[in-house]
Amino acid sequence: MPIVSASVSLTRYRIVEDVPNSIWPEIVTLLKRFSFKEIEQTSDERSYGWVSLENFLDAGFRTAPPEKGEYLAFALRLDTRRVSPAVIKKHTLLAMEEAEKQAKEEGRKYLSRERKKEIKEQVRIKLMARAMPIPAVFDVVWNTSTRVVYLASTNNKVRELFNNHFTDTFELHLEPMTPYFQALNALGEDAQPAIDAVESTSFM
């Protein structure tokens, strides 16, 4: 989701630890090391990694640098292949029938469990290779002064993927700036039992 738009859903994070100054000259190198890799010529189900904010086809940050004043701006690209379970089931049944016919011609009465598993996997890989990956892009903005990071998504699976990939890339940990963590930071860990005991209130 473009972060520069009339409306956008955001998740805010703070970086837990101090950010070492040695990381700033290495930002582009780190982004390239953990950049997005194309899967169009493979049968992989998904691929993800960093790309340019301005052009999600640019995983080398050639068209625009991520540095924007005191901000770093880039994007998380996630490509996913999807094949309908019904399509996989149909082609698996057809492949099984063909294999059973061949087995009878060779004097065998049935297919082994291992052979059935092998056929099912072969069908899945074949169909995956024929399906085009569907790209999704989630913008990221990192305020280097405040250590606050914005992700243009509130989807739980995307947030988990982003969180883990950010830590793998920069060796920094993120904490969501939810009311729970805001209260914990303001009141200290001693207040955690009291915060955990707070119950939601309905104003309806």
Side-chain angles (χ1 to χ4, degrees), residues 55-131:
N55 181 356
F56 74 85
L57 300 178
D58 179 10
F61 296 88
R62 293 179 295 275
T63 55
E67 297 93 343
K68 319 286 185 194
E70 63 179 328
Y71 295 89
L72 294 170
F74 45 96
L76 175 68
R77 177 174 168 183
L78 169 64
D79 278 23
T80 309
R81 274 194 170 90
R82 295 190 183 93
V83 178
S84 163
V87 174
I88 293 178
K89 183 178 180 180
K90 172 191 166 185
H91 285 268
T92 300
L93 287 173
L94 289 172
M96 290 288 183
E97 286 181 3
E98 184 63 30
E100 286 171 353
K101 182 181 174 184
Q102 184 178 351
K104 286 179 181 176
E105 290 174 355
E106 294 172 353
R108 288 179 284 125
K109 292 183 179 179
Y110 55 86
L111 298 174
S112 67
R113 182 179 296 179
E114 285 303 311
R115 177 58 182 149
K116 288 180 179 178
K117 284 177 62 178
E118 185 180 300
I119 291 172
K120 191 173 181 179
E121 182 62 12
Q122 287 173 345
V123 168
R124 191 191 67 79
I125 291 173
K126 184 178 177 182
L127 292 175
M128 280 291 177
R130 288 163 56 182

